[in-house]
Amino acid sequence: MPRDATETRSRLIAEAERLFANQGIWRVRVQDIVTAAGQRNSSALSYHFGSRQGVLDAILRDHGEPIDQERGQVWTEEGDDGTPALIEALIRPLTRRLSTSSGRCYLRIVAQLSAEFARWDLDPTHVPANLNAILRLLRDRALANDKAQRDERVLAMIQLMTASLAERARRIEAGDPLDTDENVYAANLVDMLTGIIEAPARAALIATPVR
C-alpha cells in the first residue's frame, strides 16, 4: 500500500475510534469520520474499509489480535488454570490499554457491543483463540447447576468486565480523579469477576417450574 494510502487509513482509523468512543458507534456517520480525518473525498472510507462496519471491524481486529497474543503470554506466565489466574490472563492485556488514548477508545467501543457478547460461543471462528479457550474453561468452573446458568455467569462476567474498563477509560479521558491505581484496580476487578464465577449456586433452591 502506498505511503499516502497507509497514512489515510491510519487517520480514518484514529478518527473513527475517537468518534465511536465519544459519540457512540451507531450515531456516527461515514461522512463524520471522513471529515474528521481531513479527507475531501467522501469515498475514502469506502475505498479502505468498504463501510462503517468495515472500519469498526478493522478497529476491533487491530486491537484484538495483539491483545489475544498478550493474553496467551500472561496465561503461560501464570502457569495456572484456576479461576483467578484465568481471569488475570483475561483482563491484564485490557488494563494495559488504559495507558493510551487509542486503547481507551477501544475499551469504550467494546462496551457498546454488549448485545453481541452472548454470541461468543455460537461462532468460535469470530472469537480470538485464547479468549475462547479461557471463556470455555471459566464456564466449566462456574458453580452453577446447569449449562444455561453457567452461560449466564460467563455473560455477566464479560458485561461487568467491559463496563468497568469502559468507565475507567472514560474517567481517564475526562481527567476525573481515580480512586485506585492500576494494580489495585486490576486486582479488585479480578476478585469481582472471580466472585461471579465461583459464587455458590442457589438457583436450584428457589427455582419454580416453568409453565
Side-chain angles (χ1 to χ4, degrees):
M1 184 180 294
R3 180 178 177 182
D4 288 349
T6 301
E7 291 176 353
T8 297
R9 182 187 187 279
S10 297
R11 285 197 297 271
L12 289 166
I13 284 274
E15 292 303 328
E17 280 184 351
R18 182 181 63 82
L19 291 169
F20 287 162
N22 291 328
Q23 298 182 19
I25 296 169
W26 316 119
R27 293 184 178 182
V28 176
R29 301 172 303 168
V30 167
Q31 188 58 49
D32 296 332
I33 300 170
V34 172
T35 300
Q39 298 300 302
R40 287 177 290 183
N41 187 342
S42 61
S43 65
L45 186 141
S46 297
Y47 172 78
H48 287 279
F49 304 104
S51 64
R52 183 181 63 175
Q53 183 63 47
V55 73
L56 175 61
D57 290 343
I59 291 168
L60 297 176
R61 182 174 58 252
D62 287 355
H63 285 276
E65 290 178 357
I67 284 172
D68 204 56
Q69 291 175 2
E70 291 179 36
R71 188 174 285 127
Q73 293 168 0
V74 175
W75 190 4
T76 300
E77 291 167 3
E78 289 289 322
D80 182 1
D81 282 349
T83 300
L86 290 171
I87 293 176
E88 180 75 26
L90 187 66
I91 73 162
R92 183 59 69 177
L94 298 174
T95 60
R96 290 172 181 164
R97 267 59 195 178
L98 291 166
S99 64
T100 69
S101 179
S102 178
R104 291 190 291 271
C105 285
Y106 169 75
L107 295 173
R108 295 169 69 193
I109 290 168
V110 168
Q112 297 177 52
L113 301 173
S114 59
E116 302 295 322
F117 294 165
R119 299 177 58 83
W120 73 268
D121 193 34
L122 299 180
D123 188 359
T125 61
H126 285 81
V127 180
N130 290 311
L131 174 59
N132 185 277
I134 289 172
L135 292 179
R136 287 176 179 274
L137 286 171
L138 288 171
R139 182 175 61 189
D140 291 343
R141 283 157 177 70
L143 298 181
N145 297 296
D146 55 34
K147 181 179 180 297
Q149 292 175 21
R150 291 194 295 273
D151 283 339
E152 287 178 347
R153 291 202 182 199
V154 171
L155 178 58
M157 181 200 68
I158 296 170
Q159 290 170 331
L160 174 57
M161 175 183 70
T162 54
S164 177
L165 286 162
E167 174 58 15
R168 190 169 179 90
R170 185 201 64 77
R171 293 179 67 182
I172 293 171
E173 285 291 301
D176 294 343
L178 301 175
D179 298 327
T180 58
D181 67 24
E182 179 183 334
N183 290 329
V184 173
Y185 167 75
N188 191 44
L189 185 56
V190 169
D191 289 344
M192 290 190 291
L193 300 179
T194 298
I196 292 175
I197 298 298
E198 294 192 341
R202 295 185 65 252
L205 301 178
I206 60 177
T208 56
V210 177
R211 298 184 184 278

